[in-house]
Amino acid sequence: MDTLNQPLLLALALAPLVGSIIAGLFGSRIGRQWSHRVTILGVAVAFALSVIVFKLVIFEGQSYNAQVYQWLQAGSLSLEVGFMVDSLTAMMMVVVTFVSLMVHIYTIAYMEEDDGYSRFFSYISLFTFSMLMLVMANNFMQLFFGWEAVGLVSYLLIGFWYKKPTAIYANLKAFLVNRVGDFGFLLGIAGVLMYAGSLDYIEVFGQANTMAGQTMTIFEGYEWSVMTVVCILLFIGAMGKSAQVPLHVWLPDSMEGPTPISALIHAATMVTAGIFMVARMSPLYELSETALSFVLVIGAITALFMGFLGLIQNDIKRVIAYSTLSQLGYMTVALGASAYAAGIFHLMTHAFFKALLFLGAGSVIMALHHEQDIRKMGGLKKYMPITYWTGLIGSLALIGFPGFAGFFSKDSIIEAVHASTIAGSDFAYYAVLSGVFITALYSFRLFFIVFHGKERFDSHGGHAPHESPITVTLPLILLAIPSVFAGLLIGDMVFGDFFGDAIFVAAEHDVLAQLGTHYHGVIGFITHGLQTPPFWLAMAGVSTAYYLYMVNTELPAKIQKAFNWVYRILENKYGFDSFNEKVFAGGSRLIGRILWKGGDQAIIDGAMVNGSAKTIGMISKVVRHIQSGYLYHYAFAMILGVWLLLTYFVA
């Protein structure tokens, strides 16, 4: 295939959907083996075609933007399914399908004994299809379809073990929090339609300058820029999907789902949707510095304060979950600083090493008979060498150790923020700089406690832990490779013209162009990185973790005791959950109780239903006395009635 055409793109998008439908509807008939075979085949086809599309777009300069199917025509408004494939889309498709393929293969062993085996494969394939529809969209309607579809499937997957109360609570929480973000997102799309008159990306981008010059009145006496309002509303949607403060609360609880889905949600699908969306909407965001500043500050708060929470977690998956929150903050900061390419680059590198870390955590959980408390682990290096070395690679990539993928993407973000002049950039710079130390500390706290030191695990009848099967270790090895080498693409992706017209940056905001003048190749970037604060902060974090958890192991407990008030704040997650439960959940229950007691019981049941019944009963009592059955009573009543009528009319 040497042409980017509709059949190719349809096959790419629909292959996972076909696998999902077969496994979902016919899983009980075709059996467990064929369920995973058809879904893996579907995602493998999607990945192979993604690579072909990537080659056509990046190396041959092809692109695609066309309608596939018109759903509705209302006046001048056309709602349609369409594809727009450029360098941004092509990169996202490769990342999504590759990580999804690794997760599918991994799931064979991880979910081997689960009763919902076929159902799980169906869900994760559907997840992949939903994300592909989101990134391939050429209009807001399809974007919203993919947006809601990934939300729906995440709900199904987080609550996959539906007999587990915590899982049900977690998926409900994820669903409700995302509805808040999605309401803002929908209002933003409505604003786009109202002021641009279209939902097609290219047409909207063409109207961007006109929108930027318009104002709206939200509160009497205050004029707001249309572009600022629209961009902030769209970003509220991203705050839900990509778990930014204060709509982050669902993400740690999503760990209640099986580990493979934790990897898929956190690495390549749901949480990256918001980052991708803002990057795609760069022609709009570049026309509102207020919106950029809002994005920058929210990202900085998330990067810093969510990292702190990772320091006190004892659940192996929750440590990595808070790491995801922090890294999403880094990506958001990059978007706010107009360093979209750096943000997307970090999205890509993060997808590889974060999937690696989650799947590595799952490998440990399997070896320890589904134990997730890191305090009951230790000394696993000698039992699980592949998991150990791939886990080390993932951890080094996460902390931004020179030469690993995360180093290039994270350092480029920090440098970009440092060069930015957008309001809030100083705070953001110190936030992401501090985050480097914190990331290194909680990452290697986890690494040392799990793989080194004293063995604290239960041997389960003398059976020592052992390395996971090939379907687990193979994805770990394949994910470890880009976790090391993906950073080498920095020259093209961050400082080159990789994204071309897919991302628009105003000249006055183009911090990456400024940094690009000082870029002298990968070796030069590494050499420079060794002399900058992020490197030394990362090394300080690793050294601190080594001292606390390998040398002086009693010191952490003493620190906790001395700063117990800080620990309580962190343990309470800054009060976000309790606030939501008391104010929003409690308020909703109170309103429901008032409507139930006052509206339903008192007014509807009491006054209307029972009241009307009582009124009719009282009338019946009176009327019953009149209906005596004696003829002379009726005759007297007739005479009395005639007399009253004559008196009234004659008089």
Side-chain angles (χ1 to χ4, degrees):
M1 277 182 200
D2 56 359
T3 312
L4 198 57
N5 53 43
Q6 193 177 108
L8 170 64
L9 297 174
L10 280 171
L12 192 161
L14 295 177
L17 179 63
V18 171
S20 173
I21 291 170
I22 294 171
L25 297 181
F26 308 105
S28 57
R29 296 184 184 179
I30 63 176
R32 295 161 75 92
Q33 279 202 334
W34 277 104
S35 290
H36 75 237
R37 284 173 184 170
V38 293
T39 49
I40 290 173
L41 177 63
V43 176
V45 167
F47 173 61
L49 295 178
S50 295
V51 172
I52 293 170
V53 169
F54 187 85
K55 171 182 167 291
L56 294 173
V57 173
I58 304 304
F59 298 106
E60 297 184 19
Q62 297 187 33
S63 61
Y64 186 89
N65 183 21
Q67 175 188 316
V68 175
Y69 170 74
Q70 188 179 65
W71 179 50
L72 179 69
Q73 182 75 42
S76 61
L77 174 64
S78 178
L79 299 181
E80 57 195 35
V81 175
F83 294 147
M84 183 166 85
V85 179
D86 52 18
S87 51
L88 177 59
T89 306
M91 188 277 289
M92 286 295 298
M93 288 194 298
V94 170
V95 171
V96 169
T97 52
F98 175 69
V99 173
S100 179
L101 181 60
M102 296 300 103
V103 169
H104 274 71
I105 296 169
Y106 178 95
T107 301
I108 295 172
Y110 195 89
M111 300 296 286
E112 186 179 15
E113 298 174 2
D114 199 282
D115 293 336
Y117 189 82
S118 300
R119 179 165 59 93
F120 189 82
F121 273 99
S122 175
Y123 287 172
I124 57 176
S125 277
L126 186 59
F127 213 161
T128 309
F129 162 74
S130 303
M131 192 64 189
L132 286 172
M133 291 301 289
L134 189 154
V135 300
M136 294 170 72
N138 74 343
N139 62 84
F140 283 92
M141 196 280 293
Q142 188 179 328
L143 174 70
F144 190 71
F145 164 76
W147 195 266
E148 292 303 309
V150 293
L152 171 64
V153 184
S154 71
Y155 171 83
L156 296 172
L157 282 162
I158 294 167
F160 181 78
W161 289 318
Y162 55 85
K163 293 181 181 178
K164 190 177 173 186
T166 51
I168 299 302
Y169 176 81
N171 76 346
L172 184 62
K173 189 174 182 179
F175 190 80
L176 291 175
V177 172
N178 272 279
R179 294 293 68 73
V180 176
D182 292 355
F183 180 66
F185 188 57
L186 198 57
L187 287 177
I189 294 173
V192 167
L193 179 59
M194 182 174 177
Y195 289 95
S198 174
L199 292 177
D200 183 87
Y201 289 165
I202 301 302
E203 291 180 19
V204 172
F205 296 159
Q207 294 289 320
N209 286 315
T210 306
M211 288 172 66
Q214 293 179 284
T215 58
M216 65 167 69
T217 303
I218 302 175
F219 303 106
E220 194 65 38
Y222 294 93
E223 294 285 322
W224 288 75
S225 163
V226 166
M227 190 59 79
T228 297
V229 172
V230 165
C231 287
I232 288 176
L233 286 171
L234 290 173
F235 181 66
I236 288 171
M239 287 167 68
K241 280 288 179 289
S242 295
Q244 298 297 294
V245 172
L247 301 182
H248 68 282
V249 292
W250 68 270
L251 194 62
D253 287 352
S254 69
M255 297 300 98
E256 292 295 334
T259 300
I261 195 52
S262 300
L264 199 54
I265 286 178
H266 287 244
T269 51
M270 188 158 164
V271 297
T272 60
I275 307 298
F276 166 81
M277 185 274 295
V278 175
R280 174 62 81 203
M281 299 302 141
S282 58
L284 304 183
Y285 280 88
E286 284 301 291
L287 296 172
S288 174
E289 280 207 4
T290 306
L292 287 174
S293 185
F294 182 76
V295 172
L296 184 69
V297 171
I298 291 291
I301 292 170
T302 306
L304 179 62
F305 291 97
M306 294 301 108
F308 284 129
L309 296 182
L311 294 170
I312 66 155
Q313 303 300 318
N314 293 312
D315 184 305
I316 188 169
K317 286 169 66 177
R318 283 184 180 262
V319 176
I320 306 171
Y322 280 108
S323 162
T324 301
L325 280 169
S326 183
Q327 297 308 303
L328 287 167
Y330 276 83
M331 298 174 209
T332 306
V333 163
L335 300 174
S338 293
Y340 303 97
I344 295 295
F345 186 48
H346 194 52
L347 183 157
M348 180 187 77
T349 61
H350 174 264
F352 300 133
F353 62 72
K354 188 50 57 75
L356 173 59
L357 287 169
F358 265 115
L359 297 186
S363 177
V364 169
I365 292 167
M366 285 173 66
L368 298 180
H369 305 275
H370 293 276
E371 178 59 68
Q372 293 185 198
D373 192 333
I374 61 175
R375 294 168 297 185
K376 298 178 181 178
M377 300 178 184
L380 291 175
K381 178 185 175 182
K382 67 179 180 182
Y383 302 105
M384 307 179 74
I386 298 173
T387 303
Y388 172 82
W389 288 108
T390 53
L392 179 60
I393 289 170
S395 299
L396 290 171
L398 172 60
I399 70 167
F401 190 81
F404 289 78
F407 162 75
F408 296 98
S409 56
K410 189 183 283 188
D411 265 37
S412 59
I413 291 173
I414 294 170
E415 292 292 333
V417 177
H418 192 40
S420 175
T421 56
I422 291 170
S425 56
D426 288 340
F427 164 69
Y429 175 67
Y430 290 111
V432 294
L433 204 57
S434 307
V436 173
F437 173 81
I438 297 162
T439 302
L441 180 55
Y442 66 63
S443 299
F444 275 85
R445 169 183 177 261
L446 175 71
F447 186 77
F448 290 138
I449 291 175
V450 171
F451 292 108
H452 292 276
K454 183 182 174 185
E455 296 178 4
R456 296 177 296 275
F457 51 80
D458 187 349
S459 61
H460 288 270
H463 299 291
H466 56 84
E467 188 59 90
S468 301
I470 185 71
T471 52
V472 170
T473 54
L474 180 63
L476 293 179
I477 294 166
L478 292 175
L479 284 165
I481 296 167
S483 297
V484 178
F485 297 110
L488 301 178
L489 299 171
I490 184 173
D492 291 324
M493 289 190 71
V494 178
F495 302 117
D497 197 35
F498 179 91
F499 292 109
D501 296 334
I503 290 173
F504 170 76
V505 184
E508 63 270 21
H509 298 156
D510 202 350
V511 289
L512 292 179
Q514 299 173 34
L515 297 176
T517 58
H518 305 289
Y519 177 73
H520 303 294
V522 169
I523 302 299
F525 194 88
I526 293 173
T527 307
H528 174 71
L530 293 171
Q531 306 166 35
T532 56
F535 169 71
W536 294 107
L537 285 167
M539 294 302 96
V542 174
S543 304
T544 305
Y546 183 80
Y547 180 75
L548 291 175
Y549 300 101
M550 295 292 293
V551 179
N552 192 353
T553 54
E554 294 178 1
L555 186 56
K558 292 177 181 175
I559 294 171
Q560 180 185 327
K561 190 176 179 181
F563 296 95
N564 194 45
W565 63 275
V566 176
Y567 182 82
R568 284 203 307 274
I569 291 171
L570 297 177
E571 194 175 37
N572 198 33
K573 305 170 192 172
Y574 306 117
F576 281 106
D577 277 343
S578 56
F579 178 81
N580 290 336
E581 286 170 13
K582 288 175 184 174
V583 177
F584 293 111
S588 299
R589 285 197 300 271
L590 179 63
I591 292 169
R593 197 175 296 112
I594 291 169
L595 292 173
W596 166 46
K597 292 283 188 182
D600 190 36
Q601 289 190 343
I603 297 173
I604 297 172
D605 286 346
M608 295 172 67
V609 177
N610 295 334
S612 58
K614 287 176 182 176
T615 304
I616 291 169
M618 289 168 63
I619 295 169
S620 300
K621 283 180 182 178
V622 176
V623 173
R624 190 162 58 240
H625 294 295
I626 299 170
Q627 301 289 335
S628 64
Y630 294 110
L631 185 62
Y632 59 87
H633 285 171
Y634 301 149
F636 177 75
M638 288 174 64
I639 293 166
L640 184 63
V642 170
W643 178 75
L644 289 170
L645 286 170
L646 287 171
T647 304
Y648 178 78
F649 286 109
V650 172

